Amino acid sequence: MKTYIEQVSQHINLQEGTQVIEQLLLECYLNPGISTKELARRTLLPTPVAAAIKRELIKAGALVQDRGVRCSSDGLNWIEQEWGYYGLNQSLYRSLLQETVDWSEELQDVLDILEAIFPLRPTVDVQIDQSQCTPETSLRRAVLCLKQHTLIGKRILCVGDDDLVSVSIGLLLRRLFPADTHSATRVDVLDIDERFLQFTEGIASDAKLPIHCHRVDLREPLPEKLHGQFDCFFTDPPYTLQGMSLFVSRGIQALKPQKGLPIFLSFAHKSPPFMLAMQRELLHMGLTVSANYPRFNAYEGAEMIANRSQMFVLRTTDQTKPEYAGEFTDALYTGEVKQTLRTYRCRQCSREVLVGMQGEFATIEQLKNEGCISCGHAIFDLIARKTVLHEKDEERA
């Protein structure tokens, strides 16, 4: 039997994807008697499009027109059972959606738990660009997931999770469903660091949180069992262009093949040339930037990035594809990038260029910004790399 969302999407081809149908139906569930005009405003859709979706949901039996529009009894039951909204603290949920509400006050009890947990985290491994965000930042990311309507009843992925976003999401769900009735959401964590995986698993087991951990080296191809499974993902990758592209690529492979799915990308504030190269990478992967929040993330002891980074909310399109699908062999972490000399080949004219502190270009983002000096093309393939020893290293060798 087709879902209400599938029935409607058969009759309306939406460029925004099926997520807006879900959001419109959810608005009717949370706000019985809502007007078509208000539905359009809340979903950021033209009023005629919102009206068309509403009509199709009425035909499908999910909604009824009654002094505005509201869910039918079947629609109400479907949302609560299939999406897992039964038992939701609707007052808290609505409050957290309000931009004017201080969510940290509403969730102070959750924040207290996180503040007790975070000091117990394993120490960071700077060689793989780990850093420690504050408990408030971790919870802020979970609240952003809720505000983007991709929390309840969804499969959520954390591509790397030394910031314990999975734990914050689990605790937020427990707060939203005080009777512990919710079982429709699942959070998966991919990480190479066994210490953080074991730490997260221990918390999840003790607090009965819906978290599943997988040890994955993102340099290797993503396991097939994780492909096409998720509704959104979080990542705070190494702050190199290659690191961003690799982590986002693995997340894209794990997402369901749908338009409009959100990606929550935390990244350092960088120079305009770097940001230009980064946005070219995102565009090449078929992603759009739907929101950017400067200074969204706060970190402990991360002076190199002024203890702050920005949050991008990206969206998939019908052209979304990973930059890296197979094995990754380029320099990845900051220390590696600084100590390697890499040879890139222009994909269009095959000209070879050396990139590194001793190369023709210091960084891959600089090369991509300026383009191939022979043909102007901006897409390159890594064909070789070698470690560059500094003078002190050579003396020790």
Side-chain angles (χ1 to χ4, degrees):
M1 180 180 176
K2 292 181 179 177
T3 68
Y4 292 124
I5 307 304
E6 291 170 334
Q7 290 180 61
V8 173
S9 63
Q10 271 191 325
H11 297 95
I12 303 178
N13 183 21
L14 292 167
Q15 293 298 316
E16 296 83 358
T18 59
Q19 286 67 40
V20 293
I21 305 175
E22 294 181 11
Q23 186 183 346
L24 190 144
L25 180 55
L26 186 58
E27 292 292 350
C28 296
Y29 170 75
L30 295 169
N31 306 282
I34 191 170
S35 68
T36 303
K37 186 176 181 179
E38 183 63 15
L39 279 174
R41 189 185 71 82
R42 289 175 181 248
T43 55
L44 301 179
L45 289 170
T47 301
V49 176
I53 296 173
K54 181 192 74 172
R55 286 194 298 270
E56 291 299 328
L57 284 169
I58 290 173
K59 289 180 186 177
L63 298 179
V64 293
Q65 189 76 42
D66 177 20
R67 289 171 294 176
V69 66
R70 65 188 67 237
C71 287
S72 65
S73 57
D74 286 344
L76 188 80
N77 182 68
W78 189 76
I79 290 172
E80 292 188 339
Q81 300 304 319
E82 296 297 323
W83 285 357
Y85 276 77
Y86 178 77
L88 173 69
N89 181 338
Q90 292 198 21
S91 175
L92 174 62
Y93 184 88
R94 289 193 186 93
S95 180
L96 293 176
L97 290 176
Q98 300 300 315
E99 295 298 332
T100 56
V101 171
D102 184 356
W103 63 263
S104 62
E105 290 185 4
E106 294 277 359
L107 301 175
Q108 186 58 55
D109 52 343
V110 178
L111 203 51
D112 289 342
I113 296 172
L114 291 172
E115 287 174 347
I117 291 173
F118 270 51
L120 305 177
R121 284 179 294 180
T123 56
V124 297
D125 184 348
V126 295
Q127 289 188 323
I128 56 174
D129 288 1
Q130 287 180 347
S131 59
Q132 292 185 331
C133 82
T134 63
E136 186 176 10
T137 291
S138 183
L139 186 54
R140 183 182 293 117
R141 294 178 187 175
V143 172
L144 179 62
C145 189
L146 178 145
K147 289 178 179 289
Q148 293 290 321
H149 303 285
T150 187
L151 176 72
I152 298 174
K154 302 296 185 180
R155 285 203 65 180
I156 303 166
L157 180 67
C158 295
V159 182
D161 196 27
D162 51 334
D163 294 328
L164 305 185
V165 176
S166 58
V167 173
S168 291
I169 289 173
L171 293 174
L172 176 57
L173 285 169
R174 200 170 68 177
R175 181 73 166 75
L176 286 166
F177 294 89
D180 197 25
T181 55
H182 184 71
S183 61
T185 302
R186 168 172 166 153
V187 188
D188 286 65
V189 174
L190 310 182
D191 210 298
I192 194 173
D193 194 328
E194 285 280 7
R195 301 173 306 149
F196 277 94
L197 293 175
Q198 291 175 6
F199 186 72
T200 301
E201 286 176 336
I203 296 170
S205 177
D206 292 342
K208 295 181 172 56
L209 305 180
I211 300 172
H212 302 263
C213 295
H214 314 264
R215 187 187 183 282
V216 173
D217 183 348
L218 295 177
R219 295 176 188 266
E220 303 296 327
L222 190 72
E224 286 288 338
K225 66 179 181 180
L226 296 171
H227 284 214
Q229 301 295 312
F230 297 90
D231 298 288
C232 70
F233 71 86
F234 285 84
T235 190
D236 193 343
Y239 295 154
T240 62
L241 191 63
Q242 302 96 307
M244 183 280 296
S245 296
L246 176 64
F247 278 51
V248 171
S249 289
R250 298 310 190 214
I252 287 172
Q253 289 179 296
L255 287 178
K256 295 174 181 176
Q258 298 175 7
K259 294 183 294 185
L261 298 182
I263 296 168
F264 302 98
L265 169 64
S266 296
F267 207 81
H269 296 95
K270 292 280 192 175
S271 67
F274 188 105
M275 296 309 300
L276 177 60
M278 177 176 169
Q279 291 183 45
R280 279 182 175 148
E281 289 288 290
L282 296 175
L283 183 62
H284 185 248
M285 288 188 278
L287 300 172
T288 64
V289 178
S290 67
N292 173 236
Y293 303 97
R295 299 178 295 280
F296 184 93
N297 303 294
Y299 301 87
E300 300 168 358
E303 287 79 9
M304 289 297 292
I305 58 170
N307 298 319
R308 291 290 187 275
S309 76
Q310 57 195 319
M311 170 65 77
F312 291 94
V313 181
L314 313 174
R315 294 277 174 180
T316 58
T317 68
D318 54 6
Q319 298 179 45
T320 295
K321 64 184 186 304
E323 175 73 12
Y324 301 103
E327 184 180 5
F328 181 84
T329 57
D330 201 348
L332 177 59
Y333 301 108
T334 305
E336 292 178 329
V337 170
K338 289 180 178 178
Q339 297 178 16
T340 59
L341 187 64
R342 285 104 58 207
T343 303
Y344 287 90
R345 178 180 291 148
C346 175
R347 195 173 289 181
Q348 181 158 292
C349 72
S350 298
R351 178 186 176 87
E352 295 182 3
V353 186
L354 290 176
V355 175
M357 299 305 293
Q358 300 178 20
E360 299 167 70
F361 294 88
T363 62
I364 183 61
E365 58 266 17
Q366 182 185 356
L367 172 59
K368 289 188 175 184
N369 280 337
E370 298 191 21
C372 176
I373 61 175
S374 294
C375 69
H377 200 58
I379 300 178
F380 301 84
D381 294 315
L382 176 75
I383 60 172
R385 59 180 289 200
K386 67 177 180 178
T387 301
V388 178
L389 293 177
H390 299 293
E391 290 183 6
K392 290 183 178 179
D393 295 325
E394 291 174 346
E395 289 173 5
R396 283 196 294 267

